[in-house]
Amino acid sequence: MSETVLLVGGGGREHAIARSLAPDCDLYACASNRNPGIAELAEGFETISETAADDIVAYAESVDATLAIVGPESGLDAGVSDALDAAGIYTFGPRAAEARIETDKAFQRRFMHENDIPGNPDFATFDDMDAACDYIDDYDGDLAVKPAGLTGGKGVKVIGDQVTPEEAKAYLRDSDYERVVLEERLVGEEFTIQAFVANGEFRVSPAVQDHKRAYEGDEGPNTGGMGSYTDVTPSLPFMADGDYEAAVDVIEAVVDAMPDYKGILYGQFMLTSEGPKVIEFNARFGDPEAMNTLPVLETPFIDVLVAAREDDPLPELDFAEKATVCKYAVPEGYPTDPKAGAKITVDVDEDSDALLFYASVDARDDGLYTTTSRSFAVVGHAESIAEAEQIAEAALADAGEGFHIRHDIGTEALVQRRIDHMDEIRGE
């Protein structure tokens, strides 16, 4: 029997999910924006807010959905998975209670502490900003300042990197945050592992390195992610033997401590001189990391969803031994003062080992235009990171005016900087 799957969400991450699922099911989608890439792959597409649980359930029932997957964290936080599950439509995504591992950073740190999850840094939580400022004054070292709720990856301020202690305190006093988490600043190289989780089991994907800073050389403000890369192996060039496995052990500890979790568990790690430490967990695929991992997943994604629903063992995941490099094109001025309205002219020949993923675009009668969010991404895949980077760059050559791209992502020079940085941290 063919499955009918409802996909919730309209970003680049969801375009990657749609591309992975569409060949093996009847796919329907809904989102607040009409992603042209998803619409082309889906049997039907409705404009519905990702947080409108009742409307999403009604649409799922109208198309006789047998499965659903929720892409963005906003929908998980709003209980969309809960509502779909309650309607009898198995949803590959955590319910709101389990999604708190992303949506409530104070809960996340306490959960790690109470369950002896390895890799937890020093932390303290505050609902009094004056008390938080006192903690900054008293702490011996630098701190990361994190709002407890969702901020789209843009709310964190790191003392000693982005801000001074005085600027961090001013940030807290000027904010309207109800709760914040202050935690030990972790120094090293970041990487992500995304796990497919259901029924107390999990399967992991290759490590990815995302690039949050807006400008080349890791300068500028944080963004939702400017691009990312993977290697031909599950590990990354700056990781030593055992680092990937140590991070997987952390994911296993979380799954053991949260047996009702289902969906994607995204572990964001900092590789330090002491091994991997946890920066945060997310309760869904990363964006852009989904665009690195799903295109090289050779196991049908639909098989994972069906096994999860049927309480069967999850299939072992096979990934092509390919490196990938993803680069986002964003509107000029993003993220602080983005300029919308640039026409998107890029046209990727997918026979060139490049894939085009749409994110936030404005579809008009005469074509696609930028909004104020990330516009589209191109992913190259090849036998090495360097080759994949060249493929992505070639595909972006005709992007047109009005875009900003971090051209250094995946380059040999930047990857070598990561290797040298870890060698320095390890004292090698």
Side-chain angles (χ1 to χ4, degrees):
M1 181 187 79
S2 176
E3 300 286 347
T4 300
V5 181
L6 176 66
L7 168 62
V8 179
R13 164 183 48 225
E14 288 77 31
H15 190 181
I17 295 170
R19 193 190 293 272
S20 187
L21 286 173
D24 303 307
C25 69
D26 295 322
L27 182 69
Y28 290 81
C30 61
S32 55
N33 64 299
R34 188 175 179 82
N35 183 309
I38 299 173
E40 185 177 345
L41 293 165
E43 304 287 333
F45 194 115
E46 287 290 313
T47 303
I48 303 172
S49 168
E50 292 84 353
T51 61
D54 291 343
D55 293 339
I56 291 169
V57 169
Y59 182 53
E61 292 176 334
S62 75
V63 300
D64 296 322
T66 57
L67 288 163
I69 181 167
V70 180
E73 61 273 28
S74 59
L76 299 171
D77 188 38
V80 171
S81 291
D82 305 61
L84 287 163
D85 282 342
I89 301 162
Y90 181 90
T91 302
F92 193 69
R95 299 183 182 99
E98 285 77 38
R100 287 183 70 198
I101 199 164
E102 171 174 8
T103 62
D104 185 341
K105 291 181 177 61
F107 167 82
Q108 177 189 112
R109 289 306 186 196
R110 289 195 301 269
F111 167 82
M112 291 187 68
H113 175 72
E114 291 165 4
N115 291 281
D116 295 322
I117 308 296
N120 203 18
D122 293 339
F123 74 96
T125 62
F126 298 90
D127 54 17
D128 180 329
M129 296 306 119
D130 288 333
C133 291
D134 290 342
Y135 185 85
I136 291 173
D137 287 334
D138 294 339
Y139 188 79
D140 183 17
D142 291 334
L143 292 161
V145 179
K146 295 184 175 182
L150 296 174
T151 61
K154 303 170 192 172
V156 177
K157 303 293 183 185
V158 181
I159 297 172
D161 179 22
Q162 299 166 298
V163 294
T164 66
E166 292 305 314
E167 288 169 336
K169 290 188 289 184
Y171 172 63
L172 288 173
R173 292 189 174 113
D174 293 343
S175 74
D176 56 0
Y177 299 132
E178 294 182 0
R179 290 178 303 139
V180 295
V181 181
L182 302 184
E183 55 191 48
E184 166 194 1
R185 178 192 174 191
L186 299 174
V187 177
E189 285 294 331
E190 294 186 29
F191 68 95
T192 297
I193 297 176
Q194 298 165 106
F196 300 66
V197 184
N199 309 319
E201 284 194 310
F202 71 99
R203 302 286 184 264
V204 290
S205 56
V208 188
Q209 186 169 54
D210 185 19
H211 299 71
K212 289 291 189 188
R213 294 298 192 92
Y215 309 134
E216 295 186 8
D218 300 317
E219 299 291 336
N222 276 348
T223 71
M226 292 296 297
S228 44
Y229 67 91
T230 63
D231 208 345
V232 295
T233 66
S235 188
L236 289 167
F238 57 81
M239 297 168 71
D241 289 346
D243 288 338
Y244 179 85
E245 292 76 13
V248 172
D249 288 344
V250 174
I251 290 171
E252 182 174 19
V254 173
V255 174
D256 288 346
M258 197 175 279
D260 293 331
Y261 194 96
K262 59 186 174 70
I264 299 298
L265 179 64
Y266 162 123
Q268 185 178 8
F269 299 93
M270 182 73 80
L271 183 56
T272 72
S273 60
E274 300 173 348
K277 302 276 189 177
V278 175
I279 297 173
E280 65 179 7
F281 291 108
N282 291 332
R284 36 71 191 182
F285 279 116
D287 186 341
E289 293 95 333
M291 292 178 274
N292 295 95
T293 51
L294 285 173
V296 294
L297 175 63
E298 296 183 328
T299 305
F301 189 17
I302 191 68
D303 290 356
V304 177
L305 273 61
V306 171
R309 182 189 63 198
E310 300 300 319
D311 201 11
D312 290 337
L314 297 180
E316 297 297 330
L317 302 184
D318 293 322
F319 292 90
E321 294 183 358
K322 297 276 191 177
T324 68
V325 172
C326 173
K327 300 192 185 193
Y328 249 117
V330 303
E332 285 185 351
Y334 174 85
T336 53
D337 186 25
K339 310 290 192 299
K343 188 169 185 178
I344 298 169
T345 58
V346 67
D347 183 18
V348 171
D349 177 5
E350 297 194 354
D351 290 333
S352 67
D353 292 322
L355 296 172
L356 172 64
F357 294 97
Y358 288 109
S360 182
V361 297
D362 178 16
R364 305 179 189 174
D365 290 342
D366 63 339
L368 300 176
Y369 291 80
T370 59
T371 67
T372 56
S373 296
R374 293 176 297 174
S375 304
F376 64 91
V378 169
V379 178
H381 48 96
E383 303 299 324
S384 69
I385 296 171
E387 290 176 78
E389 189 275 330
Q390 291 168 3
I391 290 168
E393 273 294 300
L396 287 165
D398 298 324
E401 300 295 323
F403 296 97
H404 168 62
I405 299 162
R406 268 198 64 171
H407 295 287
D408 62 340
I409 293 172
T411 59
E412 292 185 78
L414 190 58
V415 172
Q416 187 60 51
R417 272 181 51 194
R418 306 296 196 230
I419 296 169
D420 294 344
H421 186 211
M422 282 312 305
D423 286 347
E424 180 184 352
I425 286 171
R426 295 188 188 104
E428 297 176 2

